[in-house]
Amino acid sequence: ACRHGGVVGVRVGGGCAGDAIVLVGLPRCIPQAVARAVLFGGTPPAFGLVVVLDAPTEALVARLSGRRICESCQASYHVSSRPPKRVGTCDRCSGVLIQRTDDAEETVRFRQQDYVRKTQPVIEYFVNNKRPVRMVDAIGAIEQHFGPLYAGIFWRLREPPQRHPPQYQTPTRRT
């Protein structure tokens, strides 16, 4: 089920971006895309640019299912990128490290499949309505993505938009 809900976003202005609104994680379904376009005073689909953060499922599974937290102090670890000094033990308070149930591999895989199933039609909606869609690689540290993400959003007037991204010609994501 898709609810229209409230708008979650940040208004940015000035520079080469003009006056823009950045929606984070929205729209997640076609009715939300239509509702947002109407809300912002346009005819659906009124979005000037759609940026999709794209990552292979296996990379997302490794990233999310490797998270661990301390039961006592809630300190955060990762089995490969930020491991504790002693496996299963918090460096800060010596508490027990646990994996949250929503970080279990099966749960992460289910959520990723559900995300693709729900958002693929939205991306195709924008592509089919000739809205620019830019794919930004979301693998690695966040610092690596700021430049491409910034360019994808704010420099859209300087380079031609990617109107039919090859990753979304079929309903499969890159793996």
Side-chain angles (χ1 to χ4, degrees), residues 90-170:
C90 178
D91 294 342
R92 188 186 303 167
C93 73
S94 299
V96 176
L97 299 184
I98 61 167
Q99 182 182 46
R100 299 179 339 186
T101 55
D102 60 334
D103 286 341
E105 182 176 340
E106 304 78 34
T107 305
V108 172
R109 286 186 187 283
F110 173 80
R111 287 186 358 226
Q112 179 61 14
Q113 289 169 350
D114 190 51
Y115 168 80
V116 170
R117 181 180 58 79
K118 289 178 180 175
T119 58
Q120 182 63 40
V122 178
I123 294 166
E124 290 172 359
Y125 168 78
F126 286 116
V127 169
N128 292 337
N129 284 282
K130 302 197 181 343
R131 302 313 309 166
V133 175
R134 288 234 174 85
M135 306 301 289
V136 174
D137 185 9
I139 294 300
I142 194 162
E143 296 82 19
Q144 295 173 298
H145 308 299
F146 179 77
L149 185 57
Y150 186 88
I153 296 171
F154 297 107
W155 294 347
R156 69 177 190 254
L157 301 175
R158 294 186 183 179
E159 55 185 81
Q162 183 179 357
R163 294 199 181 272
H164 202 356
Q167 291 92 333
Y168 287 97
Q169 289 179 357
T170 63

Side-chain angles (χ1 to χ4, degrees), residues 63-79:
R63 183 183 296 170
L64 297 174
S65 67
R67 296 190 295 196
R68 301 293 185 270
I69 60 167
C70 175
E71 267 186 326
S72 302
C73 73
Q74 304 301 304
S76 180
Y77 296 90
H78 192 278
V79 295

